[in-house]
Amino acid sequence: MTEKQKNFICSILFFLFGLFMYIQSLPITPVVGKDLGSGFMPKLIAVAIIILSVIEFVLTMLKKKDKKKVSSNSTDMKGGILTIVSIASYALFYDYLGFLLSTTLYLFIQMVILSNEDNRKVKTFAIISIASSAVIYVVFNNVIGMQLPAGILEI
Amino acid sequence: MLLEACMQVFTPTCLGLIVLGVVVGIIFGAIPGLSATMAVVLFLPMSFGMSPTNGLSLLIGLYLGGISGGLISAILLKIPGTPSSIATVFDGAPMAEHGEAGKALGAGILYSFIGGLISIFALIFISPYLAAVTIKFTPVEYFSVALFSLTIIASLSGTSLLKGLLAGVFGIAISMVGMAPIDSVERFTFDNFQLMSGFDIVVILIGVFAVTDIIMSGFGRQHLDDNYEKAKYNLNGYGITMKEFKEQFGNMIRSALIGVGIGILPGIGGNVAGLLSYTATKNASKHPEKFGTGIVDGIIASETSNNAVIGGSLIPLITMGIPGNTVAAILLGGLTIHGITPGPLVFQKSGVYVYAIFLALLVANVVMLVVERGALKWFVKLLDIPKHILLPIVMACCVVGAYASNSRMFDVWCVVLFGLLGLLFKKLSIPTTPLIIGFILGKMTEENLRRALQASNGDISVFFTRPISLAFLVVAFVFVIYTLRKSAQAAKLKESE
């Protein structure tokens, strides 16, 4: 992606967001007398977003062609997407599996994803995953006294 | 009364609680996702069972330690451990990359102590005078202060002013989710009751600052450990020479005063103080272009002022019962539980406890200076843990932190969503700091604008006829013009290259 493409995407996304926000705030009317109403600021901000995104779009159009391309070779799409998927699944199953189980699994999987062939020590990862989730659990549940979800481990 | 307070504070139990508070506070401050606010919240119920002096001393230790611990992760992990240390990352991270982590840490700790000390003296000696001014504040003044603070967005936007502004107004937009101020109209909740109270600032901070970075590390996993090579650190004393101390004296005083001032103003916390001092120091500097590349000036500005907020935030709390920030709001709860009613009469009615608070602050500040420096070796050891092991654990702490703030799953999902939003911002080269500032100030700006106009029957001239308000608006205007001119100059310079 060049800097120019980034600016185009950025201005289009914000334009759409501003438009959506403006439409959403149209039905909000003042309830209390002599008040601007709860619709005033959202409309003002929405208009500001629209104006700024249009300026950004126009300025990007006027800009001369970008010479340098932002290199995308260094990014590892697979690693990124796997990380997003594992974080999302962790959040989704956090409540159901409970803190201990979901955290141990997540820690292990994420460590495997982030490590490479040279430093992938599966046994160490497993021990650290179990130990750190146990420590966090004991600190919060027993020392601080704040309940973390027990999930399916609850009897 | 002072003698009685001394006798209560200088007992083994009370001193032990202060040390415990500071140590736990530093740990909470250093771990991203666990903040000073959270440390104080978690220990608040525990303090109810203690004597007022002991309980308050523990909470004060946690507050001071929590604010001071943030610099460790800001420098070593490039993630602000607590919102107050956002500005510490700007120069702390590059310094660590250049192998100056030790100096950054030493200076951060020393100036945290100095900032704290100056603010405690401000609290003790000038609080009655400052209270006399702020007690006259109306929504008109609050609006102008908020508007003035919003202009920081423009100057913090890095290379692209427009993108920074977009991120800033976007932050204001998200702050509007939930019940509106004044008339409690539901906005942008899409009939989801979880959205009624809006987004929690902790959730947004964890998402945008921590989760985004962890996802980014997934994209850059090939180079994960070469970026994080253990920074060698060499530190004697606090890493600051007498010469440097003299050079930074103006910076120190300015940042401390900004911190105290921001602390006094309700609703604005250490994060804004750090950013504001950073910007002020950058603009006053002879070499502003060096900021962000790893110079100690930036660390000193941020760390002096975020600790100076501590004393500042207690000034309106003790004399008027108005908390200066979230932690002060929790402390207010702690005071009331022990039957201490803050207000103009507090010195007569609960003088002993007020002096005990002052003493606990002074002791906690010294404890912080010694403990954080003394245990620095162990904190730096954090760098020895490989990133592919540390980052997943940080993520688990983030989820715990998000869950802990309200004990609901909704916040955990929001953290992930904000992490993805942060990722989008990063990929499109949009700065994320303006988003946070917009979010913090959005609600305050709207509420006070509406209150002020209600009181004046819709007459906007009130903002220009009241002197304090006018002063803030003028400064805001000058600030905007100055930033626009600077960014135009920078653009010209870029073109001529």
Side-chain angles (χ1 to χ4, degrees):
Chain A
M1 246 194 300
T2 61
E3 208 50 49
K4 211 169 166 169
Q5 282 170 319
K6 278 186 188 176
N7 289 352
F8 274 129
I9 299 172
C10 169
S11 56
I12 291 165
L13 284 180
F14 274 110
F15 180 80
L16 292 175
F17 177 82
L19 208 61
F20 174 75
M21 189 175 163
Y22 190 79
I23 295 166
Q24 283 290 322
S25 53
L26 275 179
I28 308 172
T29 45
V31 213
V32 193
K34 289 194 295 182
D35 181 27
L36 284 173
S38 294
F40 175 76
M41 274 297 264
K43 278 180 208 134
L44 187 75
I45 294 299
V47 170
I49 293 177
I50 292 172
I51 293 173
L52 286 169
S53 63
V54 169
I55 298 176
E56 169 91 353
F57 191 85
V58 173
L59 284 182
T60 314
M61 286 259 285
L62 294 175
K63 235 184 222 164
K64 281 170 246 157
K65 236 187 154 190
D66 245 342
K67 284 160 249 164
K68 52 179 177 193
K69 245 189 174 172
V70 183
S71 64
S72 54
N73 307 339
S74 60
T75 56
D76 180 347
M77 281 310 276
K78 201 177 145 204
I81 288 164
L82 281 173
T83 305
I84 294 172
V85 171
S86 58
I87 289 176
S89 337
Y90 176 38
L92 281 176
F93 292 109
Y94 185 70
D95 207 20
Y96 175 71
L97 291 178
F99 175 81
L100 275 176
L101 211 56
S102 62
T103 304
T104 309
L105 281 174
Y106 166 74
L107 286 178
F108 183 75
I109 295 167
Q110 185 74 76
M111 282 175 198
V112 172
I113 295 172
L114 290 180
S115 58
N116 51 37
E117 291 81 18
D118 303 328
N119 56 21
R120 190 168 293 148
K121 297 172 197 134
V122 182
K123 240 189 228 163
T124 322
F125 291 176
I127 295 166
I128 294 173
S129 303
I130 295 168
S132 35
S133 28
V135 168
I136 299 176
Y137 189 79
V138 169
V139 166
F140 274 84
N141 255 32
N142 302 20
V143 181
I144 297 179
M146 193 168 61
Q147 292 295 314
L148 293 172
I152 51 171
L153 288 181
E154 200 173 30
I155 310 153
Chain B
M1 239 173 341
L2 185 63
L3 198 72
E4 201 181 325
C6 279
M7 279 161 65
Q8 289 187 10
V9 173
F10 294 105
T11 59
T13 322
C14 191
L15 291 175
L17 284 169
I18 294 177
V19 174
L20 175 79
V22 171
V23 171
V24 174
I26 292 175
I27 296 170
F28 267 72
I31 298 177
L34 303 179
S35 60
T37 314
M38 210 182 288
V40 181
V41 172
L42 293 176
F43 281 83
L44 183 67
M46 217 179 280
S47 75
F48 293 164
M50 303 172 186
S51 75
T53 305
N54 286 354
L56 289 170
S57 300
L58 173 68
L59 295 179
I60 280 166
L62 287 162
Y63 183 15
L64 212 137
I67 299 286
S68 317
L71 70 100
I72 297 171
S73 47
I75 293 163
L76 298 183
L77 299 178
K78 298 190 209 170
I79 302 170
T82 171
S84 301
S85 298
I86 293 173
T88 311
V89 181
F90 301 160
D91 275 296
M95 275 182 87
E97 274 171 17
H98 302 159
E100 290 184 307
K103 186 180 171 139
L105 288 166
I109 296 167
L110 179 67
Y111 281 93
S112 288
F113 169 78
I114 295 173
L117 197 67
I118 294 176
S119 80
I120 297 166
F121 280 117
L123 169 70
I124 296 173
F125 292 111
I126 59 174
S127 64
Y129 302 98
L130 283 170
V133 177
T134 48
I135 208 160
K136 291 182 189 146
F137 270 31
T138 65
V140 175
E141 280 78 19
Y142 283 122
F143 169 76
S144 304
V145 171
L147 199 69
F148 159 75
S149 310
L150 279 170
T151 55
I152 314 165
I153 290 178
S155 67
L156 271 173
S157 302
T159 44
S160 169
L161 191 66
L162 267 174
K163 279 183 175 170
L165 284 172
L166 276 170
V169 280
F170 185 73
I172 301 178
I174 340 179
S175 78
M176 289 176 179
V177 174
M179 303 232 274
I182 299 178
D183 54 12
S184 299
V185 170
E186 269 183 50
R187 294 189 296 195
F188 313 112
T189 53
F190 308 103
D191 292 327
N192 184 337
F193 77 96
Q194 302 272 26
L195 284 172
M196 288 263 282
S197 50
F199 295 108
D200 198 318
I201 179 73
V202 179
V203 167
I204 298 183
L205 276 170
I206 295 176
V208 171
F209 281 99
V211 179
T212 300
D213 278 25
I214 292 162
I215 298 175
M216 288 296 279
S217 73
F219 281 106
R221 60 176 174 170
Q222 311 288 3
H223 306 280
L224 197 56
D225 282 299
D226 21 302
N227 291 337
Y228 286 106
E229 258 176 60
K230 191 194 171 193
K232 284 194 185 83
Y233 90 101
N234 199 353
L235 179 59
N236 296 315
Y238 286 92
I240 291 282
T241 60
M242 208 51 209
K243 188 170 159 270
E244 280 175 308
F245 184 81
K246 275 182 194 151
E247 280 169 6
Q248 300 292 345
F249 195 76
N251 178 3
M252 176 184 100
I253 297 294
R254 177 178 48 239
S255 303
L257 291 180
I258 290 175
V260 173
I262 289 292
I264 293 169
L265 298 172
I268 321 180
N271 39 3
V272 178
L275 292 167
L276 202 62
S277 310
Y278 185 85
T279 315
T281 308
K282 185 177 171 182
N283 289 341
S285 170
K286 283 176 200 134
H287 42 75
E289 73 285 350
K290 282 191 189 162
F291 279 76
T293 61
I295 55 170
V296 83
D297 309 42
I299 308 238
I300 291 173
S302 169
E303 284 305 321
T304 308
S305 82
N306 68 22
N307 277 65
V309 164
I310 297 173
S313 70
L314 294 180
I315 295 175
L317 176 74
I318 289 175
T319 54
M320 294 182 282
I322 300 172
N325 58 20
T326 41
V327 185
I330 305 162
L331 286 176
L332 179 64
L335 288 170
T336 358
I337 282 288
H338 288 297
I340 304 162
T341 317
L345 294 173
V346 75
F347 284 94
Q348 279 97 54
K349 284 186 176 166
S350 318
V352 179
Y353 300 124
V354 176
Y355 286 118
I357 291 174
F358 293 165
L359 285 171
L361 276 166
L362 287 169
V363 174
N365 205 32
V366 175
V367 171
M368 184 277 294
L369 180 74
V370 176
V371 169
E372 199 165 342
R373 174 65 185 89
L376 188 59
K377 225 178 4 187
W378 287 281
F379 293 125
V380 174
K381 282 219 164 112
L382 274 174
L383 277 179
D384 283 334
I385 307 172
K387 282 291 156 324
H388 62 269
I389 289 174
L390 188 62
L391 285 175
I393 297 175
V394 170
M395 182 65 215
C397 290
C398 289
V399 168
V400 173
Y403 186 78
S405 55
N406 289 308
S407 283
R408 57 175 189 175
M409 279 310 293
F410 180 74
D411 287 330
V412 176
W413 299 326
C414 281
V415 157
V416 178
L417 288 179
F418 278 108
L420 290 172
L421 181 80
L423 180 73
L424 181 73
F425 271 44
K426 279 256 164 77
K427 291 274 173 196
L428 294 175
S429 320
I430 306 168
T432 43
T433 312
L435 174 103
I436 303 295
I437 302 177
F439 183 83
I440 294 169
L441 295 174
K443 257 201 183 111
M444 187 180 161
T445 316
E446 181 183 9
E447 186 176 342
N448 288 300
L449 173 70
R450 287 170 65 181
R451 281 198 196 286
L453 288 180
Q454 261 182 327
S456 74
N457 286 323
D459 179 12
I460 49 165
S461 68
V462 283
F463 296 110
F464 306 103
T465 48
R466 297 182 65 100
I468 298 174
S469 164
L470 181 69
F472 272 105
L473 290 178
V474 168
V475 177
F477 183 73
V478 172
F479 209 70
V480 169
I481 299 293
Y482 180 72
T483 314
L484 280 176
R485 274 188 58 182
K486 264 204 159 172
S487 100
Q489 277 172 355
K492 251 188 196 166
L493 209 74
K494 217 177 168 186
E495 247 167 55
S496 65
E497 263 172 8

